[in-house]
Amino acid sequence: MFLKIALLILFFAVMIGVGIYCRKSATDVHGFVLGGRNVGSWLTAFAFGTSYFSAVIFVGYAGQFGWKYGLASTWIGIGNALIGSLLAWRILGRRTRLLTQHLHSATMPDFFGERFNSSALKVAASVIVFIFLIPYTASLYNGLSRLFGMAFGIDYTWCVIGMAVLTAVYVLVGGYMATAINDFIQGMIMLIGICAVIAAVLKCNGGFQMAVQSLSEIQSESAPALHGAFVSFLGPQPIYLLGVVLLTSLGTWGLPQMVGKFYAIRDENAIRKGTFISTMFALVVAGGCYFLGGFGRLYGSVIEYSANGTPIYDSIVPSMLQSLPDVMIAIVIILVLSASMSTLSSLVLTSGSTLTLDIIRPAVAGRRGSEMKDKSVLTCIRMFVLFFIAVSSVLAIIQAKSSVTFIAQLMGISWGALAGAFLAPFLYGLYWKRTSPASVWVSFIVGVVIMCACMYGTFTHTAFISPYFSSPINAGVLAMVAGLVIVPIVSIITPVRNKEAVEEMFGCYERTVTVRASDTLVDKEEI
């Protein structure tokens, strides 16, 4: 117990110390929200990765999908690395940095407003972010209750309060830079922690070969004719597995807290390095989490079950860790805290800055006839950051202390709604001049309606379109694909206003820049 408490105190002290160290970089709105657009490759890559993977992944998704698909769930982590990280950086990184700087936009809703010359689009996007990031934020605390109960025997409420207060301190004091530096520290803990936990769990099951052999002897309920289903290449349900890969990988392209990391990156060199670092980080952390969860069936006799015999997925990973030495349990606690706090800080900073910059500031300016002062804007952002942390904490405590379970279910719905609404118009808006404001409106509406219909079906126990799409995961994929198809179709049949302004915007991609010879090769005749 002394070791666990000592590590927690050290962890808390470092997080607060970083916040105090970064306070000078958070004295204006530009520095607080974007770190002055001067964040290097390592910090940006780790900020991207730690915002991507939270305790929901380690405790909830790893246990749930590992139980359903066995070792094939590792494909989810591989998809997260190749699609959610590598391709995201390659396709979105450079263009996002160039165009958002040219448009002077600091948030995704602000990008839509400036790119499509529509304040209404900016407000609509801000409302979607506001509504769907709150349950997403509340879900980050899921899984902590069981791990802290196992390690310390203390009430879940105090875990939530402690995590919320600590996150609030370093975000409010140090802004984006404090978040980025702490994300780097927390990311290193996650890398080391997941490798150590996998090694310890495999050792407890007789090593890798013995663990795989034991897993191969378990029969799948969904595919009883498939022998060794949980060690097979694609698992017992490959179609459902593909849906999870697509939502958790491609979905990041439309999440404001993820795309926002590209706004702040320093230069071309940082993008190249960050692409590699972020991909490797995702491969180890996400691949490791789902690989670990794939052995969950070996603990079928000790996990918890609901009244109808269905496994309680949040209990699977904690059950796998109960037999580990105290040192390993302490590492796991710090690992899960790091995963949760890094994502929490990113979400509340995104929510607070979006609500202030895209709704409050324009509204005040319209009523007064003058812009809010920078100091007032910064104070407002900090107030909303505190508000989002407080609301998410209360929701998490309510969900844990009562029979209310829908908050946890809203994680997938929130992710699907945000990605379904934003992915297509953001991607096409970066690359295609012909993208029209009408197509953005349609994408917003279709993405939100699909996920709300899925939510309604979930709560009323009715099928949405078909049983396959009753899952928020699969409904989220439908919302994303629908947006990718609808946006070009609607853009072709609807007009684009201010064509001259659009041409000027895209001119930022074509301007000539001077680079060092070490960064690009040229023929002698060209010099």
Side-chain angles (χ1 to χ4, degrees):
M1 184 63 70
F2 173 78
L3 176 63
K4 298 171 189 173
I5 294 175
L7 283 177
L8 274 180
I9 293 174
L10 176 62
F11 177 75
F12 292 164
V14 170
M15 298 299 104
I16 294 175
V18 168
I20 296 173
Y21 172 77
C22 294
R23 68 188 185 280
K24 292 182 179 180
S25 66
T27 55
D28 58 27
V29 174
H30 194 60
F32 188 85
V33 176
L34 296 177
R37 294 189 191 267
N38 194 37
V39 185
S41 56
W42 283 91
L43 292 185
T44 302
F46 271 70
F48 186 90
T50 54
S51 297
Y52 197 162
F53 309 116
S54 66
V56 177
I57 300 284
F58 183 75
V59 177
Y61 279 8
Q64 177 181 351
F65 299 128
W67 182 272
K68 289 182 177 181
Y69 310 125
L71 293 184
S73 63
T74 308
W75 282 111
I76 305 173
I78 296 173
N80 293 169
L82 299 182
I83 302 173
S85 296
L86 177 62
L87 285 182
W89 278 74
R90 293 288 296 173
I91 294 174
L92 300 180
R94 182 180 293 102
R95 282 188 171 246
T96 299
R97 174 65 170 80
L98 287 171
L99 192 53
T100 56
Q101 184 180 25
H102 178 76
L103 297 175
H104 304 289
S105 61
T107 65
M108 182 178 278
D110 192 27
F111 169 83
F112 288 127
E114 297 295 329
R115 167 65 178 84
F116 299 102
N117 190 30
S118 172
S119 58
L121 273 177
K122 179 166 70 172
V123 172
S126 300
V127 171
I128 294 172
V129 170
F130 174 76
I131 292 174
F132 287 100
L133 276 191
I134 288 181
Y136 189 175
T137 306
S139 70
L140 298 177
Y141 300 95
N142 291 342
L144 285 175
S145 57
R146 297 179 184 277
L147 289 174
F148 270 83
M150 176 186 69
F152 300 102
I154 61 177
D155 189 80
Y156 174 54
T157 301
W158 296 110
C159 304
V160 172
I161 293 174
M163 176 178 159
V165 169
L166 178 59
T167 305
V169 168
Y170 76 74
V171 173
L172 292 175
V173 173
Y176 184 87
M177 280 304 299
T179 300
I181 294 175
N182 275 331
D183 284 349
F184 177 78
I185 297 171
Q186 292 159 352
M188 293 301 297
I189 294 172
M190 292 167 67
L191 285 173
I192 297 170
I194 191 63
C195 294
V197 170
I198 290 173
V201 168
L202 290 179
K203 183 179 179 181
C204 290
N205 286 278
F208 174 71
Q209 186 172 349
M210 183 63 69
V212 172
Q213 180 178 333
S214 301
L215 191 62
S216 69
E217 297 170 357
I218 300 176
Q219 191 174 22
S220 169
E221 306 90 345
S222 59
L226 180 62
H227 299 288
F230 297 113
V231 296
S232 62
F233 185 66
L234 295 176
Q237 297 176 296
I239 301 299
Y240 285 87
L241 176 62
L242 177 62
V244 179
V245 172
L246 289 177
L247 180 66
T248 60
S249 301
L250 189 61
T252 61
W253 295 27
L255 298 182
Q257 75 275 13
M258 303 295 295
V259 175
K261 299 300 183 289
F262 300 134
Y263 289 37
I265 200 164
R266 180 188 300 149
D267 52 28
E268 173 69 20
N269 189 45
I271 291 178
R272 285 201 303 270
K273 290 181 180 178
T275 302
F276 175 77
I277 297 167
S278 178
T279 303
M280 291 299 103
F281 181 89
L283 196 60
V284 174
V285 173
C289 285
Y290 289 112
F291 176 76
L292 175 67
F295 292 98
R297 292 262 177 175
L298 299 181
Y299 296 81
S301 60
V302 296
I303 67 171
E304 298 177 24
Y305 293 86
S306 60
N308 62 2
T310 304
I312 298 176
Y313 296 120
D314 284 356
S315 72
I316 294 176
V317 171
S319 298
M320 299 172 71
L321 305 175
Q322 283 181 345
S323 60
L324 298 183
D326 286 344
V327 175
M328 289 304 306
I329 293 178
I331 292 174
V332 170
I333 295 298
I334 302 299
L335 161 65
V336 175
L337 264 179
S338 298
S340 298
M341 289 175 58
S342 57
T343 308
L344 176 63
S345 62
S346 177
L347 289 176
V348 297
L349 188 58
T350 299
S351 303
S353 58
T354 295
L355 197 58
T356 301
L357 299 178
D358 301 328
I359 295 181
I360 303 299
R361 185 168 66 174
V364 172
R367 187 169 58 182
R368 293 181 180 176
S370 61
E371 289 285 340
M372 288 177 66
K373 293 182 179 179
D374 198 69
K375 186 176 181 181
S376 299
V377 174
L378 193 56
T379 301
C380 190
I381 293 175
R382 286 190 166 113
M383 289 175 59
F384 278 114
V385 165
L386 193 60
F387 168 78
F388 278 106
I389 290 177
V391 170
S392 65
S393 303
V394 170
L395 287 176
I397 292 171
I398 290 174
Q399 189 259 322
K401 295 293 184 180
S402 68
S403 58
V404 178
T405 59
F406 68 87
I407 296 173
Q409 297 170 341
L410 286 179
M411 165 65 181
I413 293 173
S414 298
W415 189 306
L418 291 166
F422 295 151
L423 187 155
F426 185 78
L427 178 62
Y428 285 116
L430 288 177
Y431 278 88
W432 193 30
K433 300 176 185 178
R434 189 68 183 76
T435 310
S436 69
S439 70
V440 181
W441 279 113
V442 173
S443 180
F444 285 3
I445 294 170
V446 169
V448 171
V449 167
I450 287 177
M451 295 314 298
C452 287
C454 176
M455 179 171 60
Y456 175 80
T458 299
F459 297 153
T460 58
H461 304 289
T462 57
F464 168 61
I465 301 178
S466 72
Y468 179 80
F469 291 112
S470 295
S471 163
I473 298 290
N474 299 328
V477 174
L478 175 63
M480 289 191 299
V481 172
L484 291 171
V485 173
I486 288 172
V487 167
I489 293 176
V490 176
S491 293
I492 291 173
I493 62 177
T494 55
V496 176
R497 299 188 299 268
N498 300 323
K499 293 183 178 180
E500 296 79 8
V502 174
E503 290 291 340
E504 189 272 332
M505 290 177 198
F506 276 72
C508 72
Y509 298 142
E510 308 299 331
R511 60 189 175 88
T512 302
V513 296
T514 304
V515 297
R516 297 188 302 269
S518 59
D519 293 328
T520 185
L521 295 175
V522 295
D523 294 332
K524 184 176 181 181
E525 290 77 8
E526 297 177 8
I527 299 177

